[in-house]
């Protein structure tokens, strides 16, 4: 349980969303292992899927400013969340 208590308040909230989504039971599973797996999959807190897609583009692609005005973040988010990520209650997780 110490591993869970070491998470920030936001991370704890995300952790319980993650546990619920994955049907993990803290009473029957090792908390340290769960927190480790959670940290591997947790991407952060975002307003919506498109907000996450915007950050991915900013971090991973060197697009000129004029190209960003034409970039379709909504469709990019749709593609990202088809298989690679999932979004629940404001939190983004990598699909594992």
């Amino acid at each position: 349980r110490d591993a869970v208590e070491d998470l920030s308040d936001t991370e704890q909230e995300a952790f319980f969303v993650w546990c619920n989504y994955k049907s993990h039971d803290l009473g029957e599973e090792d908390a340290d292992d769960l927190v480790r797996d959670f940290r591997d999959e947790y991407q952060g807190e975002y307003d919506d899927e498109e907000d996450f897609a915007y950050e991915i583009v900013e971090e991973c692609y060197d697009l000129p400013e004029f190209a960003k005005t034409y970039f379709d973040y909504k469709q990019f988010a749709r593609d990202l969340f088809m298989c690679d990520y999932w979004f629940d209650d404001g939190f983004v997780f990598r699909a594992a």
Side-chain angles (χ1 to χ4, degrees):
R1 303 244 180 234
D2 290 339
V4 176
E5 291 176 4
D6 288 342
L7 298 171
S8 71
D9 290 342
T10 300
E11 288 174 324
Q12 283 183 19
E13 185 179 347
F15 176 74
F16 291 116
V17 167
W18 178 83
C19 283
N20 185 52
Y21 183 86
K22 298 261 183 161
S23 299
H24 289 297
D25 184 350
L26 281 172
E28 295 185 16
E29 298 180 57
D30 183 71
D32 290 325
D33 289 342
L34 288 175
V35 168
R36 184 193 67 240
D37 292 345
F38 161 77
R39 287 186 186 274
D40 287 343
E41 296 177 26
Y42 180 59
Q43 301 299 302
E45 185 175 20
Y46 295 88
D47 293 333
D48 52 34
E49 293 174 355
E50 194 172 328
D51 185 33
F52 177 72
Y54 181 82
E55 183 169 308
I56 291 291
V57 169
E58 288 295 311
E59 288 182 7
C60 299
Y61 301 98
D62 190 22
L63 296 177
E65 287 303 315
F66 82 90
K68 290 177 186 177
T69 62
Y70 294 100
F71 194 87
D72 190 339
Y73 294 97
K74 183 177 180 178
Q75 291 303 315
F76 184 59
R78 181 187 60 87
D79 290 348
L80 287 172
F81 286 89
M82 283 176 68
C83 298
D84 298 326
Y85 299 94
W86 57 277
F87 180 86
D88 192 350
D89 203 23
F91 303 108
V92 174
F93 304 90
R94 184 176 48 79

